[in-house]
Amino acid sequence: MAEFILRRILQAMLVLFVMTVLVFFGIHVIGNPVDLFASSECTKACLDEIMVNLGLDRPVWQQYLIFLGNLAEGDLGRSFTHGVPAMSLIWERFPATLELAVAALVLALVIGLPLGFYAGLRPDSWISKAIMGLSMIGFSVPIFWIGLIMILTFSVKLGWLPAIGRGDLVTVFGVRVSFLTLDGLRHLAMPAFTLSLLMMSMVIRLTRAGLREVMTSDYIRFARANGVPEYRVLGWHAMKNLLIPIVTVLGMEFGGVIAFAVVTESIFSWPGVGKMLIDAISVLDRPLIVAYLIFVVTMFVLLNLVIDILYSLLDPRVRLGAGAA
Amino acid sequence: MAPVLSVRGLTTVFGSGTQELRALDGVDLTVHAGEIVALVGESGSGKSLTGFSINGLLPGVARVTGGSIRLGEVDLRTLSAREMRQVRGSRVGMIFQDPMMTLNPVLRVETQMRDALRAHSTLSRQEVRTRLIAALAEVGIAAPEQRLRAWPHELSGGMRQRVAIATALLHSPELIIADEPTTALDVTIQGQILALAQRLCRERGTALVWITHDLAVVAGIADRVSVMYAGRVVEEGPVDAVLDTPAHPYTRGLIDSVAASQPKGARLPMIPGRMPLLSDLPQGCAFAARCPRRSPLCETTRPEPHPTGAGQTVRCHHPLTEPAGAVA
Ligand SMILES: Nc1ncnc2c1ncn2[C@@H]1O[C@H](COP(=O)(O)OP(=O)(O)OP(=O)(O)O)[C@@H](O)[C@H]1O
Ligand code: SF4
Ligand SMILES: [Mg+2]
């Protein structure tokens, strides 16, 4: 177990190293951030001064070494544009993104599992065909389009749901969340649904395919041959086998959902990290971009660990650390 | 004594309308208490299908369209799905071929056995444990408390098959259908499982249908044997009579192919030719294309079952009379 975690951490560090090098030199090639965010009245002297302040006057490899030195002390640097530590900006906004992503995940499961079950049990009924057709749409139609259509329908036309922002917030354990107020829920509904569509389609397809396979297996026949009631056969004997691929795929997908919530957050002006990243990129706010990427990579690594642990709980044949991770 | 199981004219089809395929056609099967009846035949002859037709676990595309399946006094065909569930596990048990696949890989032995036990009885947690431990001990599993907590993959094939048998026997069903339960095991374990099944059935008076490819197993375990071909029982009778003086040319072919020193347990027949497809059954005898005794009658008229002098029932126009050892 310890070796397994250690190997994961080493892998993550390698990824971080390669990534930061790319970002540093990439941004250096693209342009000078100061030109982008300094006010137009700023003279040459003033520009130079800002460059010196931010350390941008040094050769890029020196900048990188300084960055590494600070990183070793846990300092990810200050945002060029906001002037505050980059990490604090991320922490401020991350709860919004996390809430959105978790809500999307819950929706995907709560809606996707029953639909997938139905389609798997009655593959030939027209309802099942409709469900599968819809899941196809979830895969193929771009998210921003669905988001816009929903805004047009539910906000503009019908006026049922607000189109932007998080609504009323409540603080729970020091984190501000939307989902505990009615207004917050109304704000959360559309972005969460939009973000969940892809995951939901996956859950539907995985559940259906998995169920059809599992239902023909000898162990399901054996359970039935022993007279085990159908709700128990489906709800536990089959379910536990189904959850293995679902957890695996959703686990991998979930990191992506958080990292790329960008689109959804932009459409619904959801004040999460995704939107912050877009803003940071447009002004080449390097410390913020790098800090965000480091944050995302770390999150992926942690998420993978959680999935592996969940996986080993679901599937007794899997032992942590066995085989290459 | 009335038989435990009496199947008459069982007909099971796949699909419907013009696509309909008769996978079982007029199958008869009788098993008395404490009796072991072997069901043999090539792959695809309908052995498993017979088993699933009896306990109502046919795949969705198949259904029973004719005949009766009497278990004691009830015709299982008249039961509702609910009533059928009550029968499964309590009155009819089933054991499958591959013990690697029979136990759910993600549930502990205890969970699976407990669900089977609770399916037909309400017991306290402690009573359940006691019963399960006793059941495992009875099939010869050492340290049953630990095994109960085990995951299936932690057990050997033979051990898993013992767990499956213990589970199927939990409610002492009158009838057990064992679908090739030793085929996937190696020879010594096979012998142990055979002996175990035989002992338990004799002790409890359970009627046992033993589906197999292996004539050596048939000779070793069964009282009677039914030979299936293309969805019909072509020969039926006491094991000794059928193996010594087979009346049907197909049975004879099976016996000869074993005598020609097939490795034990190998898939049956090196009888030349193949079983016809269900979609392409001939008008007359289904075995005609491969039969050395075929006559014009065989190709036009389906043979109906009739008794031979030696205690068998055979579906053949020109049954054999000489013993199997003699060279024809
Ligand atoms: N889903 C299906 N659709 C159509 N025909 C099927 C289907 N499943 C099985 N069959 C047919 O039913 C027949 C009987 O199959 P069954 O499984 O009972 O054979 P078996 O004697 O048990 O063979 P084996 O020794 O291989 O287990 C076969 O001819 C097979 O082709
Ligand atoms: S009926 Fe004719 S073809 Fe069929 S097994 Fe008997 S002899 Fe052979
Ligand atoms: Mg079979």
Side-chain angles (χ1 to χ4, degrees), chain A:
Chain A
M1 180 79 187
E3 188 206 326
F4 170 76
I5 294 177
L6 191 69
R7 192 164 49 202
R8 277 296 169 77
I9 291 175
L10 286 177
Q11 277 173 355
M13 285 173 65
L14 188 69
V15 171
L16 280 178
F17 175 72
V18 173
M19 187 196 71
T20 49
V21 168
L22 285 177
V23 172
F24 258 78
F25 292 87
I27 289 180
H28 186 72
V29 172
I30 294 172
N32 186 350
V34 178
D35 295 342
L36 288 167
F37 64 76
S39 86
S40 50
E41 287 132 52
C42 203
T43 59
K44 175 83 175 73
C46 149
L47 280 179
D48 287 345
E49 196 191 323
I50 297 178
M51 294 278 281
V52 174
N53 273 341
L54 297 179
L56 290 172
D57 55 330
R58 300 166 197 256
V60 64
W61 60 269
Q62 266 189 27
Q63 293 179 34
Y64 186 70
L65 288 183
I66 293 169
F67 160 77
L68 282 186
N70 290 340
L71 185 63
E73 290 166 15
D75 177 7
L76 283 171
R78 283 165 181 272
S79 156
F80 287 164
T81 41
H82 298 78
V84 296
M87 251 356 256
S88 72
L89 282 174
I90 292 175
W91 279 126
E92 204 174 287
R93 298 206 160 212
F94 185 63
T97 298
L98 191 63
E99 179 177 27
L100 183 60
V102 170
L105 180 69
V106 170
L107 274 182
L109 285 172
V110 167
I111 301 178
L113 275 177
L115 291 186
F117 247 89
Y118 186 90
L121 288 179
R122 306 202 194 300
D124 297 321
S125 84
W126 66 267
I127 298 184
S128 302
K129 287 178 184 148
I131 292 173
M132 296 322 285
L134 283 178
S135 82
M136 209 52 225
I137 294 178
F139 272 115
S140 43
V141 176
I143 283 188
F144 71 87
W145 188 80
I146 292 179
L148 291 178
I149 292 292
M150 294 221 306
I151 290 181
L152 274 179
T153 319
F154 296 108
S155 305
V156 180
K157 276 245 167 61
L158 300 169
W160 290 351
L161 294 170
I164 58 169
R166 285 184 82 182
D168 294 343
L169 301 179
V170 199
T171 305
V172 184
F173 300 120
V175 182
R176 287 150 59 78
V177 294
S178 303
F179 77 97
L180 290 176
T181 68
L182 186 63
D183 183 56
L185 270 183
R186 279 161 38 86
H187 280 81
L188 187 56
M190 283 201 295
F193 184 79
T194 307
L195 190 57
S196 81
L197 271 180
L198 187 63
M199 279 192 289
M200 196 186 293
S201 303
M202 286 182 180
V203 171
I204 290 176
R205 302 210 143 234
L206 286 170
T207 309
R208 184 186 103 112
L211 190 65
R212 297 200 61 186
E213 187 185 323
V214 166
M215 289 322 277
T216 60
S217 68
D218 274 359
Y219 55 80
I220 292 299
R221 274 203 170 146
F222 186 60
R224 286 177 163 166
N226 289 322
V228 177
E230 203 60 12
Y231 72 85
R232 178 78 182 164
V233 172
L234 290 175
W236 193 235
H237 291 226
M239 181 65 126
K240 222 182 153 201
N241 282 280
L242 282 182
L243 282 179
I244 293 172
I246 294 178
V247 164
T248 313
V249 172
L250 279 193
M252 291 189 300
E253 195 58 25
F254 190 63
V257 165
I258 294 181
F260 306 112
V262 185
V263 179
T264 315
E265 290 182 2
S266 306
I267 300 172
F268 296 97
S269 302
W270 189 263
V273 277
K275 194 155 176 311
M276 179 202 74
L277 176 70
I278 294 286
D279 298 342
I281 289 175
S282 64
V283 293
L284 295 184
D285 189 340
R286 191 182 69 200
L288 195 48
I289 298 173
V290 171
Y292 174 80
L293 291 175
I294 289 178
F295 177 78
V296 166
V297 171
T298 313
M299 193 188 66
F300 262 92
V301 172
L302 288 179
L303 205 63
N304 276 332
L305 265 179
V306 171
I307 296 163
D308 282 324
I309 291 168
L310 258 184
Y311 199 75
S312 71
L313 288 180
L314 277 175
D315 190 343
R317 291 161 297 187
V318 174
R319 289 194 31 239
L320 283 189

Side-chain angles (χ1 to χ4, degrees), chain B residues 13-15 21-24 40-52 59 61-62 97 179-180 211-213 228 230-231 267 275-278:
Chain B
V13 303
F14 282 99
L21 296 177
R22 269 194 187 203
L24 294 181
V40 290
E42 266 168 293
S43 194
S45 54
K47 306 181 298 291
S48 301
L49 219 50
T50 305
F52 291 128
V61 282
Q97 172 171 0
D179 193 349
E180 307 194 40
I211 296 174
T212 181
H213 278 103
M228 291 194 72
R267 295 242 131 186
M275 204 167 68
L277 294 175
L278 294 179

Side-chain angles (χ1 to χ4, degrees), chain B residues 4-19:
Chain B
V4 171
L5 176 73
S6 171
V7 176
R8 288 289 162 266
L10 174 65
T11 302
T12 298
V13 303
F14 282 99
S16 55
T18 51
Q19 306 282 307

